[in-house]
């Protein structure tokens, strides 16, 4: 699963094929800072985002998921910077 670091937050994003179909959906999980390197602090548990939208391919779904994650962090006032 692809990941990206934004400040103290780690974003996991993916495209998942719809069961029995050719479409893909966007999934996101966001983890915050943890003092224990063996434990990640889930801020936003893994789930489908853009519930009313499907994508033609996995890469497009991943891009949609990552865009949503960036918007979530920016709208929440966390103003994280990308690494």
């Amino acid at each position: 699963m692809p990941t990206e670091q934004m400040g103290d937050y780690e974003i996991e994003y993916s495209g998942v094929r719809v069961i029995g179909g050719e479409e893909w959906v966007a999934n996101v999980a966001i983890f915050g800072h943890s003092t224990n390197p063996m434990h990640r602090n889930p801020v936003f548990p893994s789930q489908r985002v853009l519930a009313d939208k499907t994508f033609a391919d996995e890469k497009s779904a991943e891009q949609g998921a990552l865009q949503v994650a960036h918007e979530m962090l920016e709208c929440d006032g966390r103003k994280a910077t990308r690494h």
Side-chain angles (χ1 to χ4, degrees):
M1 180 177 298
T3 62
E4 180 176 298
Q5 195 75 29
M6 269 185 87
D8 288 335
Y9 299 94
E10 180 181 358
I11 302 167
E12 282 188 352
Y13 58 98
S14 64
V16 178
R17 187 182 295 258
V18 175
I19 295 173
E22 295 298 317
E23 302 89 13
W24 294 78
V25 296
N27 273 19
V28 169
I30 300 174
F31 300 91
H33 177 72
S34 174
T35 56
N36 182 343
M38 298 300 291
H39 178 268
R40 296 192 305 173
N41 179 25
V43 175
F44 183 80
S46 181
Q47 60 188 285
R48 181 178 173 183
V49 293
L50 300 172
D52 60 346
K53 184 169 184 168
T54 58
F55 298 86
D57 56 56
E58 182 178 23
K59 195 68 169 170
S60 297
E62 288 176 352
Q63 291 171 349
L66 188 57
Q67 180 63 38
V68 168
H70 288 174
E71 291 170 2
M72 290 171 61
L73 289 173
E74 290 168 3
C75 285
D76 201 22
R78 294 179 179 149
K79 298 292 183 192
T81 56
R82 294 181 209 174
H83 291 151

